[in-house]
Amino acid sequence: FLLKKSSFRISKISDKDFCKFSLCPKDYKFLPTNDVAYPLEKFIINDYKGSEIGSSNYMQNSNYRFLKTVNATQNFVYDQSTIEFCKPSNAILPNDGDILIVKDGAGNGLGEVALYIKNNKYVDYISAGLIGISLKEDVKWYILSLLKSQHFKDFINVNTAQGSTIRHSKLVALKYKVPFPSK
């Protein structure tokens, strides 16, 4: 989905609105836009960021689990095979049916999305590398399908600063323009 500029005028390099004075080729990639698109935040009922529990709170067996960025994979539902168990905490609890978005990560993990399904046997907390969102029901499944697309991952990648092993996109995901068919 990424497009690359094939040329531009040298005067544009010093233009304040043009890629912030950058000579890096990565900064000239862009996503095509649709005429009928609205920011993701328009469809959100509730959003929240996870928090860290601290390594001293991990334990082997517990009724409390800690979901991390690695639990959001290419599957639609979060991966339960690598969930860590922990002590009870006052960390953030996701709601059944919420969408979890990886906001901090390395490699292909950044921008991964998973649907959270409540398991009544456990209490789940989410890490600081995740954002949870509750969406309006009438657009939830359509938006989830877009968030699982390469288009969304490219949006996160283009709009997240480079330069470190673990990249932090903050709340960039909420600015994603959700395209709608024009007809």
Side-chain angles (χ1 to χ4, degrees), residues 82-141:
T82 60
I83 292 178
E84 303 272 354
F85 290 90
C86 63
K87 296 177 185 175
S89 172
N90 60 354
I92 305 299
L93 300 169
N95 298 311
D96 189 35
D98 282 359
I99 296 171
L100 303 177
I101 303 170
V102 176
K103 71 178 188 72
D104 299 339
N108 291 334
L110 185 66
E112 279 294 349
V113 174
L115 179 66
Y116 176 75
I117 305 291
K118 174 75 175 127
N119 182 334
N120 288 328
K121 183 177 176 183
Y122 299 105
V123 175
D124 293 326
Y125 304 112
I126 64 171
S127 78
L130 295 170
I131 303 170
I133 59 173
S134 303
L135 293 173
K136 296 177 182 176
E137 274 304 312
D138 59 334
V139 293
K140 178 179 183 173
W141 302 110

Side-chain angles (χ1 to χ4, degrees), residues 67-81:
L67 307 181
K68 299 194 292 190
T69 59
V70 296
N71 299 117
T73 64
Q74 291 181 347
N75 298 326
F76 273 87
V77 179
Y78 66 96
D79 178 18
Q80 296 189 48
S81 66

